[in-house]
């Protein structure tokens, strides 16, 4: 009797969740990183609220992008080093589904908390309270899209040495549209505009990502294993 | 059952496998021997489909192992130079997940496999804190649990004590008795039932 | 049937090598000729622009380079996809050969654009959509080359970079669109109206010819690089010895 | 006959340089990362030169900080994994000197090129040409101080798993003064003020770092090895 | 020369070493044996100073190995479960740097050590591309070159072919003939000169 593809994906997700919760401090680290970037920026600028508010979408999004990039490095690397990915590839199950499960879990434990904590950072940058739902929504959707794009980059850099920086080099250009629409949505949330259009566009990118990224990531990982 | 024909593999500039062919039948153990660097690991990885050979074919039950990858892999258990375990999970959790993605498996079954490989005593400790030989015992339990027809073992006795080495030979013998097929790379003689061993020396050409 | 023989010959390194060897000089020669004529047409025959005076002549390098930088990326992605799907070594080699040329054209477009921007807009760089997406294109090229350089095993490097090229080409239109959308929501920077010079024929034909010259030059360089790639990859193959003998 | 401590340190530095130059593309990666961060900010903000110029010191310094953090991850991690650090500790030589050599080499191959390329990024953010010497000087000095501080953090995270994010956490608070003085110097360079005072302070931090950081890093690494 | 007395070590909750004492004299090989998880690796790491024992002392030439760490370490060569090599450097470069930080060393000397361990043929390839046994041969050359009095070897024959295992025994015998001292953890009997072996079984208590 063989495990079904969905059950296998579910097990992979559970395993990643258990690994993450084994060290709760790990869950906090991307968040802390994000918060620190958000606080450092005002430190290096003149601390005038109006200027900070202008820069807020940029700071929030660049912070989110970089913190999610840093976390992405660990998406496959450890599994590759300890032979887990090899076992995935040899399990007779669809690698695509398993990697999709990994990517979703990664988003759950890094992207979602980041979106939830963002209002704190945003408030520190002078973003008004009414804008918070928009900030959270755009970051949650955007970080999902980022995780998908990043999974492809993380898979591609498996075979390469010193993957960390290369990963950023590959992923950042691909992430530009997400950044632009996300920052735009956040800005509209702050200025009180209608943020539906950029959010829809983000959603469209995420849908495209869901269909394409796991396939590309699985192909990339298979190549990296050889 | 497993048929390897005319494999040629280059790694970098080196022509590592030069036309390797052999056939393995149920109940047989193909023992790969050869000097360091002869290509044992490479051959095992080519069979598993982790490396692409430039020429030649691997077929399983008469059909190409590459083309029917999923079917082939679901009948295959592979153990390489390093045990594939997550250091932060316990041995039992490791098996629960790694076997679970292949087939539904329950606690009693896991326990009996762990007992068989002498790993029950430390099955609930994070693998990170185990000694080299203890890790390998957990990984061997994983091979047992996979319930696969074909075992690919790369120096399975590494880091094991004398008991453990005997254990590996017993496990292989049992697999052969179940009409399974084993391909193993070894540097030491293993006490296996006579008649079931197909020796294959690499790098001899 | 005929298509398939053609396809097969395209896939065979010795054939492609021989083809490249035969045709490189013709493409190179044609490129040089076209370039000379176009330069004469652009720099001497074309009248100065009524607004930009002689500065507009930068367009003869800038625009063809910019067009080619985009074209080459597409070529590269198509070659990479062919290589992935049909496991064709030559296609991978072609994709690998495209990248540095494309990156250079991108750099040339950026460089000439910046030089041109200083007198026109008073700054070397402004965050305009067209400029920004060209810059991101450069990053895409660099990422592709970085990935290739980061992977030792040529077969692995081929496949991994091919996946990236294909993913990248999906993203190129998205980038272009998003960057434009991003900027069009704000007031357009006043300094920079891309003054579309009213092109009359005397100005236009050298531009088009220059584009043809650049494209020919690209093909010549591509063939040369392809030969070098094939020599490097197939150095163990017997046909190489025959070719070099 | 025993190798002298300085010769040993020199060999360590040479080894790291050789490793870096084995793949010249690796040298470019932190630079690329820095350039991309500098590009991302304008992308997530309104691209008006005057507003960008205001944010330039922040962007340059946060970019430099993050890119040097990313590179720092590799300062000891690989050596720890492949057993090289263990061999250092067992060589009968002073670990302090060897780690100091590693840190200086790290700065040479990441910090110095970054400072040298910064004018390009700065120009894109609308920083005038006269400010460039100040930008380069402050970044060169600052990145040296960052490397020293980062070495301690990198040593401390050896024992901990998933060091990447933890490293940032440990290093960022220590890096805050560097960031503040550095950004201040850059801002003064842009506005044409006298940037000597913040530069002197940066220099003082670097001197303090040179005396303390290698000792602390050696102690941290010894703990991490156990 | 090497004196270990009353070592007690806990790892996590486990009391791994329970009062281990022994003495090694020049020309002796202390062979550590014991089941998987008996504490062989732990003991070797305590002697090297990579792990701190809760109780007990390691002394070398009569003075504490902990206190006079640098002096002790400069007479020590340690080879653990994994060969300490940088994958991106060639074997020769690895040795040049790793031996060089201990003592000045020239190319001829490196070459002769590589020849001795049968690693010359692949000494100029990036270690990343070597097979498991080839790596160990390079690492063994490093041990030879260290010119140390005391060798600490943790399962030195791992991944080596039959020739390689004989080689390890020969290298140890030569070191003993030079009046060196060797502490080695092994799972297989090594053909060493009788009389020079001090067996120490761990985990027997
Ligand atoms: C760094 C600065 C610049 C960059 C990156 C840049 C980029 C590009 C690109 C990508 C194209 C091809 C666009 C397409 O076919 O869709 C292009 C074409 C062109 N550019 Fe630029 N450009 C720059 C500066 C300038 C300046 C300063 C001018 C003149 C005021 C200029 C005038 C033109 C013209 C006339 C064309 C060809 C006509 C056309 O395709 O519409 N560019 N440039
Ligand atoms: N990634 C690689 N790139 C280039 N050559 C390689 C690579 N991996 C292995 N080789 C070479 O291929 C040959 C076969 O290696 P392989 O690991 O298969 O040997 P092996 O028989 O398993 O040796 P061992 O007994 O030492 O494990 C060796 O000469 C090795 O140097
Ligand atoms: N980091 C650790 N934390 C807790 N316990 C550990 C740790 N490392 C090892 N142990 C335990 O200490 C004991 C001794 O381990 P050690 O590695 O010294 O054994 P060994 O004799 O070398 O075994 P092997 O023959 O398998 O290499 C084992 O029971 C092991 O589980
Ligand atoms: Mg092997
Ligand atoms: Mg051990």
């Amino acid at each position: 009797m063989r495990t079904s593809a969905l059950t296998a994906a579910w097990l992979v997700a559970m395993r990643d969740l258990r690994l993450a919760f084994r060290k709760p401090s790990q869950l906090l680290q991307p968040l802390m990183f994000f918060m620190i970037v958000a606080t450092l920026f005002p430190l290096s600028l003149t601390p005038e609220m109006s200027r900070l508010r202008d820069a807020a979408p940029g700071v929030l999004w660049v912070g989110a992008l970089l913190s999610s990039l840093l976390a992405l490095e660990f998406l496959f690397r450890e599994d590759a080093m300890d032979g887990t990915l090899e076992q995935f590839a040899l399990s007779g199950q669809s690698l695509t589904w398993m990697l999709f499960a990994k990517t979703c879990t990664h988003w759950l434990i890094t992207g979602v908390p980041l979106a939830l904590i963002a209002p704190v950072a945003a408030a520190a940058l002078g973003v008004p309270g009414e804008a918070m739902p928009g900030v959270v929504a755009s970051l949650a959707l955007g970080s999902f899209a980022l995780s998908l794009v990043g999974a492809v980059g993380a898979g591609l850099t498996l075979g390469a040495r010193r993957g960390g920086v290369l990963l950023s080099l590959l992923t950042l250009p691909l992430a530009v549209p997400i950044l632009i629409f996300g920052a735009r949505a956040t800005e509209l949330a702050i200025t009180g505009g209608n943020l539906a259009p950029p959010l829809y566009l983000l959603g469209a990118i995420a849908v495209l990502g869901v269909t394409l990224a796991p396939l590309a990531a699985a192909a990339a990982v298979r190549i990296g294993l050889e | 059952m497993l048929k390897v024909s005319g494999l040629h593999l280059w790694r970098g500039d080196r022509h590592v496998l030069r036309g390797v062919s052999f056939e393995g039948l149920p109940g047989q153990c193909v023992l790969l021997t050869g000097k360091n660097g002869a290509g044992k690991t490479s051959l095992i990885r080519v069979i598993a489909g982790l490396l692409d050979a430039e020429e030649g074919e691997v077929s399983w039950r008469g059909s190409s192992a590459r083309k029917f990858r999923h079917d082939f892999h679901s009948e295959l258990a592979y153990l390489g130079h390093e045990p594939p375990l997550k250091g932060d999970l316990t041995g039992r959790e490791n098996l629960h997940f790694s076997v679970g993605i292949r087939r539904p498996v329950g606690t009693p079954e896991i326990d009996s496999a762990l007992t068989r490989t002498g790993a029950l005593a430390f099955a609930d400790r994070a693998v990170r804190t185990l000694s080299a030989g203890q890790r390998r015992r957990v990984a061997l339990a994983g091979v047992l649990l996979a319930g696969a027809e074909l075992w690919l073992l790369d120096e399975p006795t590494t880091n094991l004590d004398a008991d453990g080495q005997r254990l590996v030979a017993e496990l292989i013998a049992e697999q052969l008795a179940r009409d399974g097929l084993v391909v193993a790379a070894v540097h030491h003689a293993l006490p296996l039932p006579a008649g079931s061993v197909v020796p294959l020396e690499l790098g001899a050409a | 049937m005929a298509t398939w023989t053609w396809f097969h010959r395209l896939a065979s390194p010795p054939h492609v090598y021989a083809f490249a060897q035969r045709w490189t000089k013709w493409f190179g020669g044609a490129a040089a000729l076209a370039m000379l004529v176009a330069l004469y047409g652009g720099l001497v025959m074309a009248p100065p622009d009524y607004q930009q005076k002689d500065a507009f002549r930068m367009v003869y390098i800038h625009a063809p380079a910019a067009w080619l930088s985009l074209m080459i990326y597409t070529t590269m992605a198509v070659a990479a996809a062919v290589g992935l799907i049909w496991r064709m070594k030559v296609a991978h080699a072609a994709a690998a050969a495209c990248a540095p040329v494309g990156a250079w054209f991108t750099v040339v477009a950026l460089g000439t654009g910046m030089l041109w921007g200083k007198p026109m807009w008073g700054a070397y760089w402004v965050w305009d959509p067209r400029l920004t997406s060209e810059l991101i294109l450069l990053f895409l090229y660099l990422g592709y080359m970085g990935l290739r350089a980061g992977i030792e095993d040529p077969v692995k490097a081929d496949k991994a970079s091919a996946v990236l090229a294909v993913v990248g080409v999906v993203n190129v239109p998205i980038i272009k669109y998003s960057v434009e959308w991003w900027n069009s929501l704000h007031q357009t920077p006043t300094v920079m109206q891309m003054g579309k010079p009213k092109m009359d024929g005397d100005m236009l034909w050298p531009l088009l010819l220059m584009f043809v010259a650049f494209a020919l030059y690209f093909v010549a360089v591509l063939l040369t690089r392809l030969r070098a790639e094939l020599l490097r990859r197939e150095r163990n193959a017997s046909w190489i010895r025959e070719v070099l003998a």
Side-chain angles (χ1 to χ4, degrees), chain A, chain B, chain C:
Chain A
M1 201 172 54
R2 224 151 112 183
T3 304
S4 75
L6 282 182
T7 317
W10 174 250
L11 273 169
V12 168
M14 284 299 107
R15 194 196 65 135
D16 276 16
L17 277 182
R18 179 155 331 172
L19 275 170
F21 279 100
R22 187 118 311 169
K23 280 259 145 181
S25 69
Q26 286 184 358
L27 289 176
L28 293 175
Q29 288 169 6
L31 296 186
M32 289 295 304
F33 183 82
F34 173 68
M35 291 303 289
I36 291 178
V37 171
T39 37
L40 279 184
F41 198 78
L43 279 180
S44 60
L45 286 176
T46 332
E48 260 170 59
M49 267 307 171
S50 69
R51 272 173 75 186
L52 281 182
R53 188 161 31 226
D54 282 353
V59 174
L60 290 176
W61 271 90
V62 172
L65 181 59
L66 294 176
S67 116
S68 108
L69 258 185
L70 276 187
L72 268 173
E73 251 231 76
F74 299 92
L75 182 53
F76 300 140
R77 184 143 303 244
E78 282 183 11
D79 282 352
M81 282 196 313
D82 61 22
T84 307
L85 275 189
E86 235 164 61
Q87 294 291 337
F88 281 3
L90 296 182
S91 66
Q93 298 285 355
S94 146
L95 199 55
T96 312
W97 274 103
M98 291 194 274
L99 297 189
F100 183 55
K102 272 191 83 66
T103 313
C104 290
T105 319
H106 178 262
W107 173 66
L108 257 184
I109 57 188
T110 62
V112 171
L114 190 144
L116 292 180
I117 208 174
V120 180
L125 294 168
V127 172
E130 313 85 71
M132 293 312 172
V135 169
V136 172
S138 62
L139 274 172
L141 196 53
S143 63
F144 184 52
L146 279 179
S147 290
L148 288 166
V149 169
V152 182
L156 284 174
T157 49
L158 270 189
R161 281 173 290 147
R162 229 181 172 192
V165 197
L166 189 57
L167 172 61
S168 334
L169 184 53
L170 297 187
T171 313
L172 287 180
L174 298 180
V176 162
I178 302 171
L179 182 79
I180 290 179
F181 295 137
R184 181 76 192 134
T186 307
E187 194 177 334
L188 287 171
I190 294 174
T191 55
N194 172 18
L195 61 157
L199 276 189
Y200 285 150
L201 286 169
L202 268 189
I205 293 181
V207 169
L208 188 72
V210 166
T211 45
L212 288 186
L215 281 173
V221 164
R222 248 185 230 290
I223 295 161
L225 283 184
E226 287 207 345
Chain B
M1 193 134 87
L2 175 74
K3 191 153 177 247
V4 169
S5 45
L7 282 190
H8 282 267
L9 176 76
W10 274 262
R11 305 204 72 169
D13 283 349
R14 257 163 310 288
H15 193 169
V16 175
L17 302 180
R18 303 166 178 250
V20 174
S21 307
F22 68 88
E23 197 167 344
L25 296 174
Q28 284 188 338
C29 175
V30 182
L31 273 191
L32 305 179
T33 53
K35 289 192 183 307
N36 289 137
K40 302 177 290 300
T41 301
S42 306
L43 176 56
I44 289 187
R45 290 178 71 86
V46 170
I47 297 175
L50 291 169
L51 262 180
D52 271 350
E54 269 80 5
E55 259 178 64
E57 243 225 325
V58 178
S59 66
W60 174 249
R61 298 191 194 281
S63 46
S64 160
R66 264 199 76 109
K67 273 210 202 108
F68 302 91
R69 196 163 56 188
H70 283 346
D71 295 330
F72 176 53
H73 285 162
S74 66
E75 299 192 63
L76 169 92
Y78 165 79
L79 180 58
H81 272 299
E82 295 291 324
L85 302 167
K86 283 232 101 60
D88 287 340
L89 295 179
T90 68
R92 197 189 297 278
E93 287 169 330
N94 264 295
L95 295 182
H96 177 71
F97 291 116
S98 66
V99 178
I101 59 174
R102 305 178 62 105
R103 63 186 194 84
V105 64
T107 314
E109 220 179 334
I110 293 185
D111 276 6
S112 78
L114 284 167
T115 314
R116 184 74 187 88
T117 60
L120 195 70
F122 40 85
D124 289 316
R125 284 165 50 192
V127 166
R128 198 170 10 88
T129 68
L130 299 183
S131 80
Q134 289 171 334
R135 271 175 228 198
R136 185 150 298 256
R137 284 167 185 269
V138 174
L140 282 173
V143 172
L144 270 186
L145 285 169
E149 298 282 294
L150 173 61
W151 288 2
L152 297 179
L153 309 175
D154 198 352
E155 305 192 25
T157 57
T158 309
N159 296 132
L160 287 178
D161 56 23
D163 274 0
Q165 293 170 24
R166 234 170 293 124
L167 170 74
V168 169
E170 284 167 28
L171 294 179
I172 293 181
E174 287 164 20
Q175 165 79 351
L176 301 182
R178 276 191 300 268
D179 262 359
L181 175 53
V182 178
V183 178
V186 290
H187 287 308
H188 290 280
L190 281 178
L192 290 177
S196 64
V197 173
V198 182
L200 179 69
E201 187 166 352
L202 290 180
Chain C
M1 185 61 214
T3 339
W4 274 110
T5 14
W6 174 79
F7 198 72
H8 256 88
R9 288 170 80 192
L10 201 62
S12 110
H15 184 80
V16 172
Y17 185 90
F19 176 86
Q21 204 169 23
R22 202 163 340 110
W23 286 94
T24 308
K25 49 182 180 294
W26 293 106
F27 279 105
L33 194 69
M35 215 173 283
L36 282 178
V37 176
L39 272 182
Y40 184 76
L43 298 188
V44 181
M45 286 168 65
D49 185 67
Y50 73 102
Q51 230 181 1
Q52 304 188 8
K53 301 289 178 292
D54 280 335
F56 96 97
R57 297 187 198 276
M58 193 73 101
V59 81
Y60 294 117
I61 308 288
H62 171 76
W67 288 329
L68 269 167
S69 67
L70 292 168
M71 255 181 53
I72 294 175
Y73 194 90
T74 323
T75 315
M76 179 176 97
V78 170
V82 169
L84 262 192
I85 296 167
W86 287 289
R87 296 168 176 273
M88 203 193 272
K89 278 195 235 169
V90 175
H92 282 305
C98 280
V101 197
W104 267 120
F105 276 121
T106 315
V107 168
V108 169
L110 281 169
T112 51
M114 283 169 69
L115 285 180
W116 199 1
K118 188 68 179 173
M120 290 301 110
W121 315 323
Y124 285 113
W125 185 260
V126 291
W127 291 95
D128 159 87
R130 220 198 295 207
L131 276 55
T132 307
S133 50
E134 184 77 0
L135 184 63
I136 294 167
L137 182 68
L138 179 65
F139 290 151
L140 283 173
Y141 275 122
L142 291 180
Y144 177 89
M145 294 194 299
L147 184 62
R148 285 196 74 85
I151 303 177
E152 198 88 352
D153 181 9
V155 179
K156 245 187 189 179
D158 276 350
K159 294 190 200 159
S161 60
V163 171
L164 179 67
V166 172
V167 172
V169 88
V170 172
N171 215 357
V172 164
I174 307 182
I175 291 176
K176 212 169 161 64
Y177 170 59
S178 66
V179 172
E180 246 148 65
W181 203 76
W182 156 65
N183 212 353
S184 63
L185 288 168
H186 308 282
Q187 79 280 19
T188 8
T190 40
V191 261
M192 77 136 296
Q193 293 295 345
M194 274 259 192
K196 270 242 169 82
K198 275 200 218 78
M199 285 252 175
D200 60 47
D202 279 351
M203 283 179 174
L204 192 59
W205 74 259
L207 182 62
L208 296 180
L209 186 60
M210 190 58 108
F211 171 65
V212 173
F214 272 34
L216 289 171
Y217 169 78
F218 161 62
V219 175
V221 174
L222 179 66
L223 290 178
T224 314
R225 297 193 73 97
L226 191 57
R227 254 167 67 202
E229 277 287 325
L230 289 177
L231 278 182
R232 200 172 59 75
R233 284 157 188 256
E234 303 271 303
R235 59 186 174 281
N236 295 324
S238 52
W239 66 265
I240 290 280
R241 256 164 261 133
E242 285 162 29
V243 165
L244 296 182

